[in-house]
Amino acid sequence: MATVTQQGNRGSLTRRQRISRLWSRVYQACVGLAALALVILLLKIVDDAFGTVAVVNVVDPASLVSQDGRSIEQQNAEELAGLARDYLDEEGRHFVSTDRLFTLFLDEVARTELPSSALRNLTVGQALFSGQNFPQKWADRTLFELRLPDVARVERDARARADIALLLAGNVEQGRLLELVYNDIVQVELLESWNLIDSLTRQDEIRARAARDFPQATLEFRSWLNADFLRTPGSSQALTSGIRVALLGTLWMLVIAIGVSLPLGLGAAIYLEEYARHANNHRLLRLLNGFIETNIRNLAGVPSIIYGILGLTVFVRAMEPLTSGQLAGVAGADGRTILSAGLTMALLILPIIIINAQEAIRAVPQSLREGSYGLGATQLQTIARQVLPVALPGMLTGVILSVSRAIGETAPLVVVGAATTIFVDPDSPFSRFTVLPIQIYRWTADPREGFQDVAAATIIVLLLLLLSLNASAIILRNRYSARARRTL
Amino acid sequence: MAQYQAVQRSGAEKAATLERALRQRSLRRRARPVESIVRFLLLLCGLVSILSTVGILVTLGENSLLFFSQRSWQQVKYDTVERAVVVNLGQEVSLAAALDAQNSYLSLELDERATLPFSEGQLIELGGERMRVMAASRDGLEVERGVNASQALAHPVDTPVFVHNERTVLLGADLRADDTVIHLSEGAAAAFQIDDLIQADEEVMRVLQVEPVSDMLAVRRGEEGSNPARHSAGLPLFSPSAVTLGEFLTGTRWNPQLGHLGIWPLLNATLMTTFFALLTALPVGLGVAIYLSEYASARVRSLVKPVLELLVGVPTVVFGYFALTWMTPLLQQIIGPQVKQFNTLSAGLVMGIMIVPTIASISEDALGAVPRALREASYALGATRQETIRRAVLPAAVSGIMAAFLLGISRAVGETMIVALAAGAGPNFTFNPLEGAETMTGHIVRISGGDISYNTIDYNSLFAIGLLLFLLTLAFNVVSGAITRRYREAT
């Protein structure tokens, strides 16, 4: 009888322990799953950002050699200008556009350091090309007129073409013309792109397919993330797309957002931690303080897209004269500017800054304040000379964390009206803008070949930026907390 | 001498009192203007956060009000009951055989060449009873008896059949610019009430009097700044309609351009992605929390924690990219080609990965707050580790886990970029997770991402959606916050 019970107990005990062990495996698996998700995510990004591409030249450089057999690199400005003339845009042909020529001229003129608004109305004959070659009949034409496609269409005769060649050869350097020939005439076209893992493991298959489908194409290994990618603005082609404008946009937006929300956030945190808790505050003031506190907690949980709607109504529409730059004398079109975006982002990160700063201030030992009061310091002196220096590293950590939040936020900026594609660097708070996550969003959604790879490369830049910010926050925290321990 | 001493003493006393008074005053609160100003400025900083909330509420509220009060003109319809007539033969329809109160088949025997005057779903009327047509043929009708609060009755042979029709209200006669009485098509006056607004072409009129018998309306012409003009007979009339809150909250079609403004297609997609997100995040997040709080050594924790922090730090648009370029193709491989390129399942699952750290960290706090004594008592009673967790620790931490769950819902409902990229563009009222459907946030992003023109119904509808989104997330956050605070105070 006793044996049976014992056996029964032992059986159930081993079973129970087996179940217990099984569950511990399940919990482990959960952790493994989370880690696996992160690893796959990162792998996928790297997989897309590098890989084999099949590219083809629209015009074979071999067909562009001069009569005496020199390749395009060896040709002088005059010969290159001749090529540009031969490959001007026509119906059904997309080579050198008049827009492009206009930009080239502008760049040339920009070296004279004239304000850009004045440039368009300058005539060709005025100071800019003085002493240089240009057809006499163009002397009275303004630069703006040069860009008009009509001009090109009307004068698409041999004479006008010769004029253009003359203008190019006489005023633009050989290096820039070479760039023009490469980008607009030779033109590399992306036919297909393979991921990194495929490129490494199924090389033969890729080669066979490329040979079958695109016999004229060349296969090459491409890192979508490269120096040119950081330097060039966006483009309608994946191969020449870059993030220069988006990077600058992100920086502008951050400067505005932090500039506005940092003083406000730290001020509010100091108020709430140091002044709001006084016992002899008026009852109404205490109510107000409690309300501010609750309000901040709730604001931190508001979905970011709501801030976007707020920004659209308040900054883009209601404050349009300010945000479009009208008040500052800029002839801006509308309020969808970096300033609006920065202010919207400032509101979004304000609660995060406040909450983090509050925690940093709360961590300052009370004895420090009491010691200061004991020596006869006023409250303001205590805050400024005792509390803030000790709380500073914690506050900075919070600020860095909110910066990384601001860098990654996308939705509110889409609503506020980030531009789809812009190619001009932002040069004032009143410029139209795009930022890194917006570019990731647009490029990911773009179904054309290669753009998802561009998105992956942009993600790598964004993640590196975030990682370095977070690392600096951690280092800062560790260093200062070690020092604080030593001094206390 | 004594007098001199007395004077001196009183002088010294006076000086002492004065000095004491001075010292006391300096110890008492002295007005410090700089301190007061700084304090006031700091308070202003705090008030900015309130401004932010006020801004959100006013913006959303004001424009939502505009949305719900904005008027769109729709053709006036009215209900008529007419003899059912076979149009091409001019033959009036009546019962071919007697009908008892139970039978749902109604025999007609129409001519072979007859075009049926009935259609599915139509209301017909026989001797005071209303029925709904379920199927129609020349020999008879399959009907649902006694609908619209009428009684199923027996009907003899040759009872005439009537049909309910919805007709648009038309002008019955030409209207001159100075007329104040409108003639309407027959029976249409019932559709109007005194003080209604009517639109004909560009002109708006106000109804002053209704004559149902002669189908005439007395109106005031040229209302709301419009000009009285000539209108010819047969012109359709329009009446204003605003989106009602009820319509907004119960409708299942969303197409602002066509006047369909039911939130459910968007809300349903939000709920679906949220459901799949929580389905992934809750077990995994809870598992991670239990592992970290009950099993992991300090060294393992120092390895796992950064992984979670990294997941928190990844911007949501990157998760969107991940959902579209990795999760969806994977699902297509596993489930098959019926998985659309945009689908709520993929978006939901990736959103779940995103929420895991949130749920894990709050649940871990809750588990950590469970007193050690509880675990030790459980072990002392001979429970295994798993039994201790399930029977002692989890029940004690349930409120905290609930808080994590609610916060997770709030995050999932408000999440935007994943669904904007992977869940689909275009409202779609479906319960199939393999199909694309646009969520509330996804809709806001898509509509406002284009060049939106202000004060259109599309623009105003964004605010109504935004308000609903705000209230939903606020409710979840507040409840979750209240629970979290309670157990923090308890420990």
Side-chain angles (χ1 to χ4, degrees):
Chain A
M1 191 66 184
T3 15
V4 173
T5 329
Q6 263 176 7
Q7 265 180 352
N9 272 345
R10 209 181 300 140
S12 89
L13 193 61
T14 42
R15 224 189 89 236
R16 282 165 58 199
Q17 293 205 317
R18 208 181 320 123
I19 292 175
S20 185
R21 270 197 301 276
L22 190 76
W23 273 100
S24 80
R25 292 275 172 277
V26 172
Y27 299 136
Q28 255 173 1
C30 286
V31 176
L33 213 61
L36 186 70
L38 184 66
V39 169
I40 293 179
L41 173 64
L42 297 179
L43 263 185
K44 169 71 185 157
I45 293 166
V46 172
D47 190 27
D48 269 358
F50 304 92
T52 309
V53 287
V55 289
V56 71
N57 290 328
V58 176
V59 174
D60 188 1
S63 70
L64 299 178
V65 291
S66 62
Q67 281 164 346
D68 50 354
R70 279 173 301 126
S71 70
I72 41 178
E73 281 92 349
Q74 293 159 329
Q75 296 176 18
N76 61 27
E78 217 162 303
E79 288 165 303
L80 292 174
L83 285 178
R85 173 200 59 204
D86 294 342
Y87 281 93
L88 271 183
D89 261 1
E90 274 169 35
E91 276 152 64
R93 285 198 341 167
H94 298 287
F95 291 111
V96 183
S97 65
T98 41
D99 262 336
R100 185 65 168 207
L101 291 182
F102 179 66
T103 335
L104 263 184
F105 290 133
L106 271 194
D107 281 356
E108 209 59 38
V109 176
R111 298 182 193 179
T112 61
E113 288 171 9
L114 283 163
S116 63
S117 53
L119 281 180
R120 332 180 107 229
N121 297 326
L122 276 180
T123 61
V124 176
Q126 278 166 337
L128 36 153
F129 297 125
S130 58
Q132 300 187 9
N133 280 323
F134 58 91
Q136 200 49 53
K137 64 168 183 175
W138 285 29
D140 297 330
R141 202 164 284 166
T142 66
L143 284 177
F144 185 67
E145 283 169 329
L146 273 190
R147 191 175 66 139
L148 293 177
D150 304 332
V151 177
R153 206 170 299 136
V154 169
E155 304 187 3
R156 199 182 294 124
D157 49 59
R159 178 82 192 109
R161 285 164 167 254
D163 288 345
I164 288 171
L166 199 63
L167 201 55
L168 278 176
N171 301 293
V172 185
E173 293 170 3
Q174 192 257 357
R176 296 185 64 96
L177 283 173
L178 193 61
E179 213 175 292
L180 177 81
V181 170
Y182 266 122
N183 288 340
D184 288 20
I185 302 178
V186 174
Q187 282 184 44
V188 190
E189 193 184 344
L190 176 71
L191 295 172
E192 193 161 349
S193 147
W194 290 272
N195 290 345
L196 180 62
I197 295 174
D198 284 350
S199 306
L200 295 178
T201 56
R202 295 166 39 208
Q203 224 167 4
D204 299 333
E205 216 174 302
I206 290 173
R207 224 173 265 144
R209 261 205 57 198
R212 192 187 66 221
D213 294 346
F214 328 106
Q216 356 47 344
T218 45
L219 277 182
E220 55 188 48
F221 187 80
R222 179 181 167 90
S223 158
W224 289 90
L225 181 67
N226 52 44
D228 276 344
F229 179 68
L230 299 177
R231 275 202 300 258
T232 52
S235 152
S236 58
Q237 283 180 4
L239 282 173
T240 48
S241 279
I243 52 170
R244 175 200 177 93
V245 179
L247 260 178
L248 289 173
T250 293
L251 291 181
W252 269 100
M253 184 212 59
L254 276 184
V255 167
I256 295 171
I258 293 298
V260 172
S261 63
L262 188 64
L264 285 178
L266 296 191
I270 295 169
Y271 176 79
L272 288 175
E273 286 304 312
E274 298 293 326
Y275 290 104
R277 298 190 201 290
H278 269 299
N280 54 0
N281 273 342
H282 191 270
R283 206 164 56 84
L284 273 178
L285 188 63
R286 244 181 299 166
L287 254 169
L288 180 69
N289 295 334
F291 182 63
I292 294 178
E293 190 106 5
T294 328
N295 181 43
I296 289 169
R297 310 269 142 192
N298 287 332
L299 274 182
V302 171
S304 57
I305 194 161
I306 301 287
Y307 283 99
I309 296 183
L310 179 68
L312 177 66
T313 338
V314 175
F315 299 129
V316 176
R317 289 197 62 195
M319 291 164 65
E320 183 160 346
L322 175 72
T323 51
S324 66
Q326 260 167 271
L327 289 181
V330 181
D334 59 9
R336 296 171 176 247
T337 55
I338 296 184
L339 186 58
S340 296
L343 291 175
T344 307
M345 203 52 93
L347 287 188
L348 193 148
I349 58 176
L350 187 61
I352 308 171
I353 291 188
I354 296 179
I355 290 173
N356 279 313
Q358 269 185 294
E359 260 158 36
I361 296 174
R362 215 174 294 152
V364 176
Q366 193 60 29
S367 57
L368 220 60
R369 294 189 187 89
E370 277 155 12
S372 173
Y373 289 138
L375 290 173
T378 65
Q379 190 171 16
L380 190 60
Q381 286 165 337
T382 306
I383 293 172
R385 303 204 189 138
Q386 304 301 327
V387 178
L388 286 190
V390 178
L392 196 64
M395 288 170 143
L396 278 183
T397 317
V399 171
I400 292 177
L401 290 180
S402 59
V403 168
S404 46
R405 172 84 189 271
I407 289 183
E409 263 315 333
T410 323
L413 297 186
V414 177
V415 178
V416 166
T420 324
T421 39
I422 45 170
F423 308 108
V424 194
D425 291 351
D427 55 358
S428 78
F430 310 116
S431 314
R432 303 218 55 175
F433 71 101
T434 180
V435 293
L436 288 176
I438 298 273
Q439 287 309 116
I440 296 174
Y441 170 52
R442 305 278 187 214
W443 281 329
T444 305
D446 198 322
R448 287 175 293 170
E449 186 75 31
F451 275 101
Q452 296 202 338
D453 303 339
V454 180
T458 317
I459 289 176
I460 292 185
V461 174
L462 183 66
L463 288 184
L464 284 179
L465 211 61
L466 289 175
L467 208 62
S468 53
L469 270 175
N470 285 340
S472 63
I474 291 167
I475 291 171
L476 197 75
R477 189 171 57 199
N478 290 347
R479 228 178 99 187
Y480 277 86
S481 62
R483 188 191 291 177
R485 264 198 303 278
R486 271 203 308 280
T487 49
L488 281 178
Chain B
M1 189 64 197
Q3 202 181 10
Y4 169 71
Q5 277 182 341
V7 168
Q8 204 179 27
R9 202 183 308 132
S10 79
E13 265 170 20
K14 258 186 205 158
T17 334
L18 191 66
E19 203 187 315
R20 212 178 307 132
L22 273 175
R23 201 184 304 136
Q24 269 176 357
R25 196 180 305 156
S26 80
L27 279 180
R28 250 189 278 128
R29 285 173 62 82
R30 197 198 301 154
R32 297 196 188 92
V34 179
E35 180 125 352
S36 306
I37 291 171
V38 168
R39 189 182 163 157
F40 181 67
L41 284 179
L42 294 179
L43 173 63
L44 281 187
C45 292
L47 288 177
V48 168
S49 75
I50 293 187
L51 268 188
S52 190
T53 310
V54 170
I56 291 177
L57 287 177
V58 169
T59 302
L60 292 178
E62 190 187 52
N63 286 285
S64 297
L65 267 182
L66 210 64
F67 171 70
F68 284 117
S69 62
Q70 202 179 42
R71 184 193 292 163
S72 65
W73 292 95
Q74 282 177 337
Q75 288 202 349
V76 194
K77 299 268 173 65
Y78 67 106
D79 215 32
T80 58
V81 183
E82 296 159 3
R83 263 313 279 275
V85 176
V86 179
V87 181
N88 53 346
L89 301 175
Q91 176 192 2
E92 292 192 333
V93 182
S94 14
L95 274 186
L99 184 70
D100 64 29
Q102 280 87 40
N103 202 346
S104 70
Y105 188 76
L106 191 149
S107 51
L108 293 174
E109 289 176 14
L110 293 179
D111 193 284
E112 267 183 23
R113 295 159 297 160
T115 323
L116 271 182
F118 305 103
S119 59
E120 244 174 81
Q122 198 176 25
L123 267 186
I124 60 174
E125 202 167 319
L126 265 97
E129 180 192 346
R130 282 179 288 279
M131 312 175 192
R132 189 172 300 284
V133 177
M134 309 305 286
S137 75
R138 283 194 187 76
D139 298 327
L141 303 172
E142 196 64 46
V143 292
E144 187 188 340
R145 301 290 302 269
V147 297
N148 280 19
S150 64
Q151 280 275 312
L153 304 166
H155 303 284
V157 175
D158 287 337
T159 312
V161 179
F162 290 85
V163 288
H164 282 259
N165 277 325
E166 203 176 52
R167 291 275 165 89
T168 42
V169 175
L170 306 174
L171 264 188
D174 286 358
L175 189 66
R176 290 196 305 273
D178 53 352
D179 279 346
T180 53
V181 174
I182 303 182
H183 294 266
L184 298 173
S185 47
E186 199 180 325
F192 293 98
Q193 285 177 340
I194 291 175
D195 231 26
D196 275 356
L197 286 178
I198 312 175
Q199 193 189 39
D201 273 345
E202 302 283 300
E203 188 192 342
V204 179
M205 309 172 221
R206 188 179 293 278
V207 177
L208 299 177
Q209 206 180 336
V210 184
E211 290 287 338
V213 186
S214 51
D215 285 320
M216 290 196 299
L217 301 175
V219 294
R220 193 187 306 139
R221 307 286 302 268
E223 284 283 285
E224 308 209 330
S226 61
N227 291 318
R230 228 192 132 268
H231 304 293
S232 45
L235 184 79
L237 297 178
F238 292 79
S239 69
S241 77
V243 192
T244 62
L245 193 60
E247 199 182 324
F248 179 71
L249 291 177
T250 56
T252 56
R253 285 179 70 187
W254 180 270
N255 192 336
Q257 301 292 332
L258 297 179
H260 300 298
L261 289 152
I263 190 69
W264 274 99
L266 304 177
L267 189 57
N268 181 56
T270 295
L271 295 182
M272 292 234 296
T273 48
T274 306
F275 173 75
F276 287 113
L278 268 296
L279 201 65
T280 325
L282 195 62
V284 177
L286 199 54
V288 171
I290 292 175
Y291 182 78
L292 285 180
S293 127
E294 308 293 315
Y295 291 91
S297 61
R299 209 174 60 84
V300 175
R301 285 172 65 93
S302 70
L303 283 175
V304 175
K305 278 272 184 182
V307 169
L308 293 181
E309 275 167 22
L310 272 178
L311 270 179
V312 172
V314 173
T316 59
V317 68
V318 176
F319 280 110
Y321 158 88
F322 187 55
L324 189 67
T325 63
W326 188 78
M327 187 60 89
T328 303
L330 183 75
L331 291 176
Q332 278 168 337
Q333 263 177 20
I334 296 173
I335 302 174
Q338 67 267 40
V339 180
K340 300 274 176 2
Q341 197 204 352
F342 301 105
N343 60 79
T344 41
L345 179 61
S346 160
L349 291 179
V350 172
M351 208 193 276
I353 297 174
M354 186 195 83
I355 301 174
V356 163
T358 309
I359 296 213
S361 88
I362 297 183
S363 306
E364 197 204 335
D365 283 351
L367 293 173
V370 174
R372 216 181 141 69
L374 214 63
R375 291 187 185 85
E376 278 162 6
S378 171
Y379 288 135
L381 289 172
T384 64
R385 211 168 197 181
Q386 166 59 17
E387 284 160 353
T388 305
I389 292 169
R390 216 187 70 195
R391 303 260 170 82
V393 180
L394 282 186
V398 76
S399 64
I401 293 167
M402 201 59 211
F405 180 63
L406 291 176
L407 193 67
I409 295 182
S410 154
R411 287 283 305 275
V413 168
E415 169 44 41
T416 309
M417 292 325 287
I418 298 178
V419 291
L421 276 170
N428 183 7
F429 189 60
T430 173
F431 292 99
N432 182 357
L434 307 180
E435 271 181 29
E438 195 167 59
T439 66
M440 298 197 286
T441 50
H443 185 74
I444 297 178
V445 161
R446 182 170 64 88
I447 296 299
S448 59
D451 270 336
I452 186 170
S453 22
Y454 305 133
N455 297 329
T456 57
I457 190 137
D458 260 338
Y459 179 80
N460 289 335
S461 71
L462 294 187
F463 294 88
I465 301 172
L467 185 62
L468 184 62
L469 195 65
F470 177 73
L471 293 179
L472 273 179
T473 49
L474 185 70
F476 285 123
N477 286 339
V478 166
V479 175
S480 163
I483 296 174
T484 317
R485 252 195 309 285
R486 213 177 56 193
Y487 78 75
R488 258 196 207 137
E489 276 158 16
T491 53

